[in-house]
Amino acid sequence: MDDPIGASATALADAIRAGELSAETVLDAHLDRIADHEELNAFVTVIEDSAREQARRADEAAEAGESLGPLHGVPVAIKDLMQRKAGVRNTLGLAPLSDHVAETDSVTVERLEAAGAVILGTTNTPALGHTIKTDNRLQGSTPTPFDDGHSAGGSSGGSAAALAAGLTTIATGSDIGGSLRVPASCCHVASIKPTFGRVPSDSEGLDRFNDHSPFLVLGPLARSVEDVALAYDLLAGPDDRDPFSVPETPPVSDRIDRPAAQFSVAYSPDLDLQPVAPEVRETVGGAVDDLASAGATVDERDPDLPSYAELSEAYMAQVGLSFAAIATQIEERFGIDFETADVVDTVPSTIALGKSADALETQLQNVPRTAAYDAIEAVLDEYDVLVTPTLTVPPYSRDLADGYPTEIDGEEVMGVPTDQMLTWVFNMTGHPVAAVPAGRTDDGLPVGLQIVGRRYAEADVLAVATAIEEARPWAAEYPFAES
């Protein structure tokens, strides 16, 4: 292997264990790319000294004929929010926490390092991960590497941009409404939002019971489905620090290479919920056609969801309350007043939304949420998976100050994040969702699709994702591969 940039995690780990590449050489190649692409604002903190120590350990183990695990010497980046490494800044995307240093490793970091990973650093996220543009007062905005005028998405935008630019091999993220899948769509990478409870979380000093309304999950991003599956297997499994974590299920990595003909697919171009831009509908439709040509049974089928107005009101009520609760704890812990703190305007307004919520009314929002769950279950009773676009539009402008589109396919929308994505419904229902590239627009902007499966059926959604990757490969489309 001449160039480690763009190689898969498995290929890198195998080459390092075999002595064909040194982990330090791999690290240096990625550190050089990070330095050469500072304009992306993908990384908040690069931890070179620690990473070099881990790379040396990987090389010493290889020389001794020992394996550190499936990620032996592989560079990994972690989102600067719920994932943390002891002794490294953990800012949560907040300028007031620019000097805050994590005291403990998160369970995610523990498991990655136990598998031999080299942690490169932390990636950019909007303040408290509150929206789908990665932009904050600490670091600035992060664009998609495909066009610097357009956003990398959010809230795991730094992780997705780092992957698309070849700055890391695997990255982590979190998702309460689309924060893994939206950046995957904007940056032409793959990810998975696991079933709630499959990947444990252990927020440092914060409420660990807050993740259920709507479901907040952690998960990996990578350039290939194979690497997403590998990372998912390493991250999944119970942990006593997470009161919602569930017992182990069999690994998915050895169950994702299956013929497309094994799967029945329900395809909904818009969930019968909101308008979708023609270029998104065309691109995703083309990917679904390729999946059918590969042998999958595909029928167009819309779930019988509540109206957009009713369902988005339920989502915003619950996510607003969850966000306000976390923000209040952070205010108390760190002495921050979000009314006067150096944060973007959308932070205090989102907090205010939650603080004004009525407890009984918020609880009753589980009625339309239940209807949405039943509607998705009804589709999945007939089909193995449900496929939809990830975003309703191509990547939007990069800066929060620019706002969001207020018209989609000639139809006026509110210009709020829920207009721009079809992801948040599945944070209300808790189903696992894989996200993969569908193609690119005539302007070269990435478009993604999402694959929804039955609860705990991560292997199925990743197998369909693999079939799409085989039918419509994207590995050669990254900027570093095209140059």
Side-chain angles (χ1 to χ4, degrees):
M1 183 185 300
D2 295 327
D3 187 357
I5 300 301
S8 74
T10 299
L12 279 181
D14 287 347
I16 293 168
R17 274 192 297 264
E20 298 168 5
L21 272 179
S22 76
E24 279 205 85
T25 297
V26 173
L27 171 63
D28 285 336
H30 286 85
L31 290 175
D32 287 346
R33 283 197 67 81
I34 293 170
D36 289 343
H37 290 80
E38 289 184 352
E39 77 285 351
L40 288 177
N41 286 325
F43 277 83
V44 177
T45 303
V46 178
I47 49 175
E48 180 175 351
D49 290 345
S50 171
R52 195 164 299 284
E53 181 180 337
Q54 290 175 320
R56 287 172 182 156
R57 189 179 308 123
D59 286 335
E60 290 169 358
E63 289 175 7
E66 300 170 355
S67 174
L68 296 182
L71 296 180
H72 188 125
V74 174
V76 175
I78 60 172
K79 182 180 180 180
D80 189 21
L81 194 62
M82 299 174 70
Q83 289 103 23
R84 62 191 184 275
K85 182 171 172 58
V88 176
R89 287 197 307 164
N90 182 208
T91 73
L92 315 181
L94 293 168
L97 293 185
S98 60
D99 296 324
H100 171 244
V101 173
E103 298 177 0
T104 61
D105 288 343
S106 64
V107 62
T108 302
V109 168
E110 289 177 359
R111 291 181 176 185
L112 290 169
E113 292 188 338
V118 173
I119 306 298
L120 288 172
T122 63
T123 56
N124 201 20
T125 181
L128 299 179
H130 80 290
T131 192
I132 58 170
K133 285 188 180 184
T134 295
D135 186 10
N136 58 49
R137 292 286 176 79
L138 172 71
Q139 189 76 7
S141 60
T142 297
T144 174
F146 288 86
D147 188 317
D148 64 7
H150 296 264
S151 178
S155 63
S156 308
S159 286
L163 285 163
L167 313 186
T168 187
T169 303
I170 287 173
T172 67
S174 54
D175 192 315
I176 198 172
S179 288
L180 280 160
R181 292 159 287 156
V182 169
S185 183
C186 288
C187 294
H188 220 51
V189 299
S191 71
I192 185 167
K193 179 191 83 69
T195 309
F196 185 60
R198 288 295 290 120
V199 175
S201 168
D202 61 326
S203 301
E204 189 177 58
L206 299 176
D207 174 14
R208 295 179 192 166
F209 287 89
N210 190 52
D211 294 350
H212 67 284
S213 291
F215 292 134
L216 170 63
V217 298
L218 309 182
L221 305 96
R223 285 183 295 270
S224 69
V225 179
E226 178 187 34
D227 279 356
V228 168
L230 170 62
Y232 168 78
D233 281 339
L234 295 172
L235 297 177
D239 188 280
D240 289 342
R241 289 166 289 187
D242 184 345
F244 295 116
S245 67
V246 299
E248 288 188 59
T249 56
V252 303
S253 292
D254 58 356
R255 293 184 286 149
I256 64 171
D257 189 11
R258 287 181 267 166
Q262 289 188 3
F263 295 100
S264 60
V265 177
Y267 169 51
S268 176
D270 55 13
L271 290 179
D272 197 24
L273 199 65
Q274 57 206 93
V276 172
E279 60 266 48
V280 171
R281 188 181 293 262
E282 179 181 351
T283 305
V284 174
V288 172
D289 287 344
D290 285 350
L291 182 61
S293 297
T297 299
V298 178
D299 296 322
E300 192 162 319
R301 167 74 185 274
D302 291 324
D304 187 19
L305 295 170
S307 70
Y308 172 80
E310 185 180 12
L311 202 53
S312 62
E313 180 182 355
Y315 172 73
M316 289 306 300
Q318 293 192 334
V319 79
L321 190 62
S322 173
F323 185 77
I326 292 296
T328 298
Q329 294 171 69
I330 290 172
E331 284 182 320
E332 294 173 352
R333 181 179 176 188
F334 297 106
I336 298 172
D337 180 355
F338 281 113
E339 289 295 328
T340 59
D342 184 19
V343 294
V344 295
D345 294 342
T346 47
V347 173
S349 63
T350 306
I351 295 171
L353 176 70
K355 287 186 174 181
S356 64
D358 176 270
L360 177 59
E361 289 180 0
T362 302
Q363 185 64 25
L364 287 173
Q365 297 293 0
N366 279 329
V367 175
R369 183 177 183 179
T370 299
Y373 175 82
D374 290 343
I376 302 304
E377 284 290 291
V379 173
L380 295 175
D381 280 345
E382 299 181 40
Y383 298 88
D384 295 312
V385 298
L386 167 66
V387 172
T388 82
T390 302
L391 287 166
T392 61
V393 293
Y396 28 75
S397 62
R398 63 185 283 178
D399 297 326
L400 271 170
D402 294 335
Y404 294 96
T406 55
E407 183 181 288
I408 300 174
D409 194 21
E411 186 173 332
E412 186 175 323
V413 295
M414 293 183 291
V416 296
T418 48
D419 299 332
Q420 319 300 318
M421 52 184 178
L422 293 170
T423 53
W424 49 276
V425 174
F426 307 107
N427 292 84
M428 302 183 78
T429 66
H431 293 89
V433 189
V436 295
R440 291 159 68 185
T441 68
D442 291 343
D443 294 332
L445 292 174
V447 173
L449 62 78
Q450 55 181 350
I451 305 155
V452 184
R454 301 180 184 101
R455 288 183 300 163
Y456 307 111
E458 280 80 4
D460 286 348
V461 298
L462 288 169
V464 174
T466 299
I468 292 172
E469 184 177 18
E470 291 174 352
R472 205 173 176 92
W474 59 78
E477 296 182 0
Y478 294 110
F480 64 85
E482 293 179 339
S483 60

